[in-house]
Amino acid sequence: MPAQPTSWRYYIECRPDELAALVKTAPVAFWPLGLIEHHGWHLPVGFDGLKAERICIRIAEKTGGVLLPTMWWGCLGGHDRFLWTHYQPLEASDAILNRMVEQLIAFGFRAILLLAGHYPWVQLLNRRLPEARQAHPDVLFIWGTEVNIAAPDVLLPGDHAGREETSYGLCLLPELMDMRALRPGRDPADSWPAGIAPAEPDVPGVVIDAAQPLFAQFGVDGRLATAVRGEEAIVRLVDQLAEIIQRHLTTGSPSPAQ
Ligand SMILES: [Zn+2]
């Protein structure tokens, strides 16, 4: 017989009584960490947060719990000067991260998954969460990106809007993508905030020629992406993380080494 679907809820849609009941049955909080930034011509600017959100939902379907609103106000990365990109001061992102984690623990959550779709979040997470884990050995903390969050045999490849992220997109949010937008010939003057293209990318390897189809990408050509490639990877990641959370809820096993 197929397993019964486990209930999960959007945190902000719950009433206090509902949250109290949920914390008793499935004290799991999922917090997707994103950023608003240019992700090539074919992906939405919220790609990192949306990717993390939809992976969290897939895990929550197996474990139950609550999904916090995606944290859009991240920092750091190689696209700061691009249009439609919003990097925040590091101290601001860091302060919200810490306050939220403290509150989630105080409110009774016993498994906290912080999934960063935007990779530089890990620098902040690695700074703060080891201390929280030490102070709260009964709480399972899992943090990282799809590239580094799971066991070594499950780790997914990553890039910026290239073949890997585009494959995850085709699997997780195809309705928000347009592969036909990967066409050449755009006017660079329309593609930079001040109309002046930089001479060099902030991070080597990022395509900064707006007339190129692969503008803003980093990694293998995003046109080589497939939904099958994305699905195969996402399923492995979701199964692994769901299993770690379920094991903790049933046996109270300690956090995996990070
Ligand atoms: Zn990304």
Side-chain angles (χ1 to χ4, degrees):
M1 207 167 71
Q4 290 292 311
T6 314
S7 66
W8 65 273
R9 297 287 305 277
Y10 288 105
Y11 191 78
I12 55 173
E13 292 184 358
C14 292
R15 295 184 298 276
D17 291 339
E18 293 176 310
L19 285 170
L22 253 164
V23 155
K24 284 203 182 81
T25 56
V28 188
F30 295 91
W31 197 14
L33 306 174
L35 183 81
I36 300 172
E37 72 178 349
H38 203 304
H39 260 78
W41 298 121
H42 59 315
L43 298 174
V45 291
F47 181 79
D48 283 344
L50 293 166
K51 172 184 63 175
E53 196 174 288
R54 294 189 184 194
I55 294 172
C56 283
I57 289 172
R58 285 195 180 202
I59 302 167
E61 283 169 349
K62 293 174 179 282
T63 64
V66 297
L67 182 68
L68 292 155
T70 295
M71 173 60 175
W72 292 109
W73 316 121
C75 59
L76 305 175
H79 293 76
D80 198 6
R81 289 184 286 169
F82 284 68
L83 262 177
W84 325 122
T85 295
H86 303 268
Y87 285 14
Q88 307 304 325
L90 184 147
E91 309 73 46
S93 306
D94 194 43
I96 295 170
L97 171 72
N98 290 321
R99 177 69 60 86
M100 280 296 294
V101 168
E102 279 168 24
Q103 290 168 333
L104 291 171
I105 297 166
F107 294 169
F109 290 99
R110 288 298 168 262
I112 301 174
L113 175 66
L114 300 109
L115 182 59
H118 180 61
Y119 305 152
W121 266 111
V122 171
Q123 293 177 42
L124 274 62
L125 297 169
N126 284 345
R127 240 165 61 170
R128 300 296 184 184
L129 290 174
E131 204 177 306
R133 174 181 282 168
Q134 210 165 23
H136 303 279
D138 56 324
V139 179
L140 172 70
F141 295 94
I142 309 176
W143 71 84
T145 73
E146 73 269 18
V147 174
N148 61 23
I149 197 168
D153 56 335
V154 180
L155 299 181
L156 308 194
D159 55 28
H160 183 85
R163 179 181 61 181
E164 312 308 341
E165 276 202 324
T166 303
S167 293
Y168 305 147
L170 289 169
C171 152
L172 295 166
L173 44 102
E175 77 283 7
L176 300 178
M177 295 171 53
D178 183 0
M179 295 299 284
R180 291 165 308 177
L182 290 170
R183 57 179 171 76
R186 285 182 174 77
D187 184 350
D190 297 336
S191 305
W192 291 97
I196 301 165
E200 294 289 333
D202 291 341
V203 170
V206 174
V207 179
I208 58 166
D209 179 357
Q212 295 298 320
L214 305 186
F215 179 56
Q217 292 187 32
F218 175 86
V220 177
D221 190 332
R223 292 172 295 189
L224 301 174
T226 67
V228 170
R229 183 183 179 88
E231 183 72 26
E232 185 273 330
I234 297 295
V235 164
R236 279 192 291 124
L237 182 68
V238 166
D239 286 351
Q240 162 85 8
L241 294 176
E243 205 225 302
I244 292 171
I245 293 169
Q246 275 160 338
R247 196 172 349 126
H248 175 75
L249 294 180
T250 50
T251 67
S253 58
S255 297
Q258 197 110 24

